[in-house]
Amino acid sequence: MKEKGSDHYDVKKFQEVLDESYMMIPDSRARYEKGLDELHSFMKSNEEILANDGDWISVARDFLNENNRELIGVDDECPKTVINDLRDGEDF
């Protein structure tokens, strides 16, 4: 726009809009991450109810997996931490 000799006011307004757009990106990213976290929490806390694997549940699980928020299924088992062999003062 500057090279074409556009009106100074138009260039200034366009720059303001562009700057505002750049400021929206971090906010949008934060809202996206928050939404992923909320979906993950919902799926985790309601996994027994949602175990029927309906179409939307499968889509939500795939979406979470694609975004590195993997769910442990109802049938999957978390590894247990064995603390019986720890000595006094030893961290696990």
Side-chain angles (χ1 to χ4, degrees):
M1 286 180 77
K2 290 180 181 179
E3 288 101 28
K4 291 181 182 178
S6 296
D7 185 37
H8 176 69
Y9 177 77
D10 290 340
V11 172
K12 183 178 176 182
K13 272 298 180 194
F14 187 80
Q15 186 63 46
E16 288 174 8
V17 169
L18 184 62
D19 291 341
E20 287 177 14
S21 298
Y22 285 135
M23 290 187 310
M24 285 186 237
I25 293 171
D27 180 56
S28 297
R29 172 58 75 187
R31 287 185 289 122
Y32 175 77
E33 293 293 329
K34 182 182 177 193
L36 281 173
D37 291 340
E38 288 174 357
L39 178 60
H40 183 263
S41 295
F42 175 80
M43 297 285 291
K44 199 81 167 123
S45 63
N46 295 294
E47 63 187 346
E48 290 180 15
I49 297 168
L50 303 173
N52 64 2
D53 281 335
D55 290 341
W56 287 108
I57 304 306
S58 296
V59 169
R61 282 195 180 114
D62 292 343
F63 186 71
L64 288 172
N65 288 336
E66 289 171 11
N67 288 281
N68 299 322
R69 298 218 176 27
E70 299 195 18
L71 292 171
I72 297 174
V74 177
D75 297 332
D76 297 337
E77 200 171 304
C78 291
K80 304 287 185 215
T81 303
V82 179
I83 60 171
N84 296 339
D85 298 330
L86 292 178
R87 297 184 189 123
D88 287 335
E90 184 179 14
D91 293 330
F92 60 95

